[in-house]
Amino acid sequence: MRYLVATDSVHTTAAACDYLDPRLDPDDAVDVLTAVAPDGDGTDDAASGPGSSPSTRDAGDAANVAAARLAGLATVETLVREGPPAETVRATVAERDPDVVLVGTHGGRPGAGPGPGSVARSVVGTVDRPVVVLPLPSLDP
């Protein structure tokens, strides 16, 4: 099996690892994707707030969580791509051909609402394979 984890935070990645841990086989592959919007892009994603997108540092932190938590359970590859998150996830699905796509319900940031954000809704509605929408804990203080 090949899994694509589309993540924007360590919280989303941790939820994906919790989901994958009991399901993985050493022959499986996990691609961990973080889409980083270009500087000054002005991306307005309802999941993470106006003008917000993961930074390169956030992408590295998310990748480190996956590498540490899934080590020895499957082959893990991290991908940091520049571009709008939903478009980047769809392009990566076409490129990597995963069996299953995992996304968080919303941006893994304080203040995010409980329902699916714009990226999760877009991915669920536009890819031709199963999408697992991972619930995330509330991060409000």
Side-chain angles (χ1 to χ4, degrees):
M1 291 277 294
R2 177 174 291 277
Y3 297 90
L4 174 64
V5 175
T7 183
D8 67 347
S9 70
V10 297
H11 304 291
T12 301
T13 306
C17 291
D18 290 343
Y19 176 85
L20 289 170
D21 186 299
R23 292 169 170 82
L24 290 176
D25 181 277
D27 294 330
D28 291 338
V30 179
D31 297 322
V32 181
L33 167 68
T34 304
V36 179
D39 290 338
D41 177 48
T43 300
D44 186 354
D45 184 304
S48 51
S52 295
S53 68
S55 69
T56 302
R57 188 189 68 176
D58 293 339
D61 291 347
N64 289 340
V65 167
R69 295 268 313 267
L70 302 177
L73 298 176
T75 301
V76 178
E77 185 173 348
T78 57
L79 312 165
V80 177
R81 305 280 169 83
E82 189 174 285
E87 287 178 30
T88 304
V89 171
R90 287 190 298 271
T92 306
V93 166
E95 172 194 332
R96 305 297 283 208
D97 195 29
D99 297 296
V100 178
V101 178
L102 288 80
V103 296
T105 52
H106 53 75
R109 291 168 176 63
S118 61
V119 173
R121 288 190 315 268
S122 177
V123 171
V124 166
T126 59
V127 298
D128 62 351
R129 61 208 67 225
V131 177
V132 175
V133 181
L134 304 159
L136 299 177
S138 173
L139 300 175
D140 291 331

